[in-house]
Amino acid sequence: MSVNIQFGFRVSNVADEAQAQAVLGELQDLLRDEGIADQVRVSVKEEGGTCHVVGKTVFPLIVSRSYLWCPKFEESVAWYVKEAAPSATVELEWGYPDEEH
């Protein structure tokens, strides 16, 4: 069965702008590999002198077998982030617009 899913993420504890750009590149690669690069906005944000990488879906994604895809995607996001910034932390939140009436 397919469901509509939205998500947003924030990568914190990034050392500096260069590391944030490296994380951004890794996440862009992941999104391209997943075939959703054009459906997710991801960018570097500076807040109070600290860089973060943030991203969110532009609109809900239709995902089949989401019970398998969502956990695997979360693992992949964490892995790609750690490749560029080993001390970074990732917060990822899911939304299910069909259930939010």
Side-chain angles (χ1 to χ4, degrees):
M1 182 168 114
S2 298
V3 297
N4 290 321
I5 293 178
Q6 297 172 301
F7 64 82
F9 58 82
R10 178 183 181 92
V11 180
S12 304
N13 297 326
V14 179
D16 54 25
E17 172 77 20
Q19 194 174 61
Q21 290 296 332
V23 169
L24 177 68
E26 289 288 332
L27 290 172
Q28 288 171 330
D29 288 348
L30 170 62
L31 296 172
R32 185 193 64 242
D33 292 349
E34 289 289 332
I36 59 173
D38 60 339
Q39 299 167 28
V40 180
R41 289 195 180 120
V42 61
S43 61
V44 174
K45 299 285 184 190
E46 185 180 339
E47 297 171 353
T50 304
C51 289
H52 305 278
V53 180
V54 296
K56 68 178 187 174
T57 51
V58 177
F59 48 81
L61 306 175
I62 300 170
V63 178
S64 296
R65 298 173 60 169
S66 63
Y67 62 93
L68 296 174
W69 185 82
C70 291
K72 178 66 176 147
F73 183 74
E74 284 188 45
E75 289 174 10
S76 295
V77 168
W79 188 87
Y80 276 73
V81 167
K82 294 294 183 191
E83 284 294 298
S87 63
T89 56
V90 179
E91 297 172 44
L92 195 148
E93 294 185 11
W94 297 100
Y96 302 89
D98 293 340
E99 297 175 8
E100 298 168 1
H101 296 290

